[in-house]
């Protein structure tokens, strides 16, 4: 199993696009809601965290600011350089709590060891894989007994929502039937079902605690700057994303699972 790494042929452009996305309303909303869910389920004392496919370090740096020790693993040297540049603007305490490691998630056990992390994050990576099971099993191996797993993926049940809300009817119909979004400004990518991801994690020894939907009402907005009512949007998305039927309409789903203490 390998990543679709064709995007790495122009990784400088990817870094720029990723930064633009994270400065816009959708990226900021994603980071805000991920951080809120993690805070709700992580222990309050310093944790050992690995962020698999952590890119330019947005989540890793937030976790380090909160006092956690973070390994940021990513296969793209340009992304890791961007993360290190962002880290350089932080104080020494934050910088000292983040370690960057070049590599793919599947190779993580040989790069950083198994069973050593209180929290294992993997956000927005499954969509680049032909199937999710292999990486999900690796993520479980990285977690210590009782460790928390945080997995963010594209929601196959709602894959047609974004193109439909933008009036791209043919793209929405194609996505509805195939489970893959094509067209528009996005690379084609695969989507998953929350029950399938949760089932794979449970079979690997990490049953799900809960899951959230993200970007239910806002995914059509694109990379526009957040407005003065951004906090209201975040609160709406947080509350709706925790309950049915709304969370099933989210562009993304966020599964939180915990590795069994006895394996």
């Amino acid at each position: 199993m390998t990543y679709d790494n064709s995007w790495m042929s122009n990784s400088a452009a990817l870094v720029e696009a990723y930064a633009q996305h994270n400065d816009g309303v959708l990226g900021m909303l994603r980071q805000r809601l991920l951080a809120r869910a993690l805070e709700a389920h992580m222990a309050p004392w310093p944790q050992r965290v690995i962020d698999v496919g952590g890119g330019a370090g947005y989540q890793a740096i937030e976790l380090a600011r909160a006092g956690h020790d973070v390994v940021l693993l990513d296969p793209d040297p340009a992304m890791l350089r961007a993360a290190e540049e962002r880290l350089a603007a932080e104080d020494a305490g934050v910088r000292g709590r983040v370690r960057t490691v070049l590599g793919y998630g599947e190779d993580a056990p040989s790069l950083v060891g198994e069973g050593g992390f209180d929290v294992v994050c993997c956000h927005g990576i499954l969509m680049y894989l032909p199937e999710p099971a292999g990486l999900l099993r690796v993520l479980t191996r990285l977690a210590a007994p009782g460790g928390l797993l945080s997995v963010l993926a594209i929601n196959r049940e709602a894959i047609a929502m974004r193109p439909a809300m933008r009036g791209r009817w043919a793209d929405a119909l194609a996505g509805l039937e195939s489970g893959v979004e094509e067209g528009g400004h996005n690379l084609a990518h695969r989507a998953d079902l929350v029950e399938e991801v949760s089932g794979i994690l449970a079979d690997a020894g990490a049953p799900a605690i809960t899951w959230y939907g993200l970007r239910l009402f806002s995914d059509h907005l694109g990379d526009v700057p957040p407005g003065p009512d951004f906090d209201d949007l975040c609160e709406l998305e947080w509350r709706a994303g925790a309950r049915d039927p709304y969370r099933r309409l989210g562009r993304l789903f966020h599964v939180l699972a915990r590795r069994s203490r006895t394996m």
Side-chain angles (χ1 to χ4, degrees):
M1 180 185 64
T2 58
Y3 290 91
D4 175 7
N5 59 3
S6 58
W7 46 267
M8 290 178 64
S9 62
N10 193 12
S11 57
L14 178 67
V15 170
E16 182 178 351
Y18 189 58
Q20 180 180 353
H21 174 72
N22 278 284
D23 288 337
V25 63
L26 298 188
M28 291 180 65
L29 178 65
R30 164 182 151 154
Q31 302 299 343
R32 176 83 67 89
L33 296 179
L34 281 173
R36 186 165 177 177
L38 284 170
E39 183 181 6
H41 294 278
M42 288 176 67
W45 51 83
Q47 301 278 281
R48 300 161 298 171
V49 182
I50 183 167
D51 190 359
V52 175
Y58 289 86
Q59 208 74 53
I61 290 173
E62 283 298 317
L63 288 164
R65 287 172 179 165
H68 306 296
D69 294 313
V70 187
V71 172
L72 195 170
L73 177 71
D74 198 274
D76 186 355
M79 279 290 188
L80 289 184
R81 284 194 298 271
E84 289 160 357
E85 289 171 3
R86 296 186 69 247
L87 270 172
E90 300 291 324
D91 63 43
V94 173
R95 292 197 304 271
R97 287 192 287 272
V98 179
R99 176 165 69 98
T100 58
V101 177
L102 181 67
Y104 288 97
E106 294 92 337
D107 300 325
S110 64
L111 295 170
V112 300
E114 295 188 23
F117 295 96
D118 303 305
V119 181
V120 178
C121 298
C122 184
H123 300 151
I125 301 301
L126 297 186
M127 64 186 185
Y128 297 117
L129 302 177
E131 55 83 23
L135 182 59
L136 291 172
R137 287 192 289 264
V138 169
L139 298 178
T140 305
R141 289 165 53 196
L142 297 175
L148 185 70
L149 287 89
S150 171
V151 178
L152 183 77
I154 293 182
N155 180 12
R156 193 189 309 167
E157 287 188 307
I159 197 69
M161 291 293 290
R162 175 192 283 179
M165 288 192 293
R166 291 177 173 176
R168 292 169 25 221
W169 312 123
D171 290 336
L173 182 59
L176 185 70
E177 297 302 325
S178 69
V180 175
E181 182 180 8
E182 300 184 78
H185 299 292
N186 299 293
L187 296 173
H189 47 252
R190 198 183 51 76
D192 290 289
L193 296 174
V194 65
E195 288 82 6
E196 290 181 356
V197 168
S198 298
I200 294 167
L201 288 171
D203 289 344
I209 302 167
T210 190
W211 69 276
Y212 301 89
L214 282 76
R215 302 211 309 243
L216 295 71
F217 307 115
S218 55
D219 197 61
H220 62 292
L221 295 176
D223 293 329
V224 299
D229 56 354
F230 180 65
D231 287 343
D232 291 336
L233 172 61
C234 290
E235 189 64 24
L236 171 65
E237 290 266 359
W238 172 256
R239 294 191 191 187
R243 66 182 73 171
D244 290 325
Y246 295 104
R247 62 180 178 172
R248 292 194 173 273
L249 299 177
R251 165 74 172 184
L252 307 168
F253 65 80
H254 181 200
V255 174
L256 290 149
R258 196 169 296 282
R259 184 175 183 181
S260 300
R261 295 188 179 275
T262 57
M263 299 296 295

